[in-house]
Amino acid sequence: MSDVENEKAIVIPFIPSSDFYFQRGIKAFQKNDMTKAKEYLLRASTLSKNEEERVFALCQLAICYQQTGEFAESMEILDDLIQNDGDIFPEAYYFQANNYAFLDELEEALELVIKYLELEPDGDFSDEADSLKQVIEVELKDF
């Protein structure tokens, strides 16, 4: 580079943040690239500035595992979140209920979906949770 080009070159500092990796993870998820989504969301969780950010990134990571049929991994993350941070992100109960429903462990799924509805009767997933609850109750009656 010539001296003139050196003088005009602008260096833009970039320090990756939790939000940067979280946004990349969500985009990868939307493109159904779960390998990248999991990688980015795990990185987002490690760079989180606070507990709420970490919990949210981990919950999204658990959803990625759920989408790829890796229920044990999803359940492990959500169990930890429920034990340690259930009050921060009650949606973890709903997502865990889905895991148990996929695995046909309906009694456990029902307990968790009821817990979510008790904590968040008007939450973001309350309609879906209510539908899941109804389906589980029908399945349990027919069983």
Side-chain angles (χ1 to χ4, degrees):
M1 234 187 253
S2 70
D3 288 337
V4 173
E5 289 175 321
N6 279 338
E7 289 179 25
K8 291 183 180 181
I10 298 173
V11 176
I12 300 172
F14 173 71
I15 300 171
S17 66
S18 175
D19 187 54
F20 171 80
Y21 285 107
F22 183 82
Q23 294 305 320
R24 288 205 141 188
I26 295 301
K27 285 179 185 173
F29 181 87
Q30 291 169 341
K31 292 179 181 178
N32 205 31
D33 185 350
M34 294 302 158
T35 302
K36 285 287 185 195
K38 289 185 272 189
E39 178 184 318
Y40 290 138
L41 290 167
L42 180 60
R43 185 73 174 128
S45 73
T46 63
L47 293 174
S48 299
K49 293 177 270 185
N50 57 50
E51 193 65 10
E52 190 172 338
E53 254 184 30
R54 185 188 73 79
V55 166
F56 194 64
L58 287 173
C59 202
Q60 297 306 310
L61 177 60
I63 293 168
C64 287
Y65 281 121
Q66 188 181 79
Q67 293 295 313
T68 58
E70 297 170 276
F71 297 109
E73 291 83 352
S74 178
M75 293 173 84
E76 185 178 331
I77 292 168
L78 292 169
D79 277 342
D80 183 56
L81 291 177
I82 288 168
Q83 273 189 316
N84 299 314
D85 302 295
D87 56 330
I88 295 174
F89 201 71
E91 287 83 353
Y93 291 98
Y94 169 68
F95 297 131
Q96 190 70 306
N98 277 296
N99 279 330
Y100 280 105
F102 280 123
L103 295 172
D104 208 26
E105 296 182 30
L106 300 179
E107 292 86 4
E108 186 68 27
L110 184 59
E111 284 180 36
L112 290 164
V113 78
I114 289 171
K115 179 71 173 178
Y116 169 70
L117 288 168
E118 288 172 355
L119 293 171
E120 294 285 318
D122 298 316
D124 291 340
F125 298 98
S126 60
D127 290 340
E128 294 90 341
D130 192 51
S131 294
L132 178 60
K133 179 179 173 275
Q134 290 174 23
V135 168
I136 293 170
E137 288 172 339
V138 168
E139 288 290 322
L140 287 172
K141 284 181 186 175
D142 292 341
F143 195 57

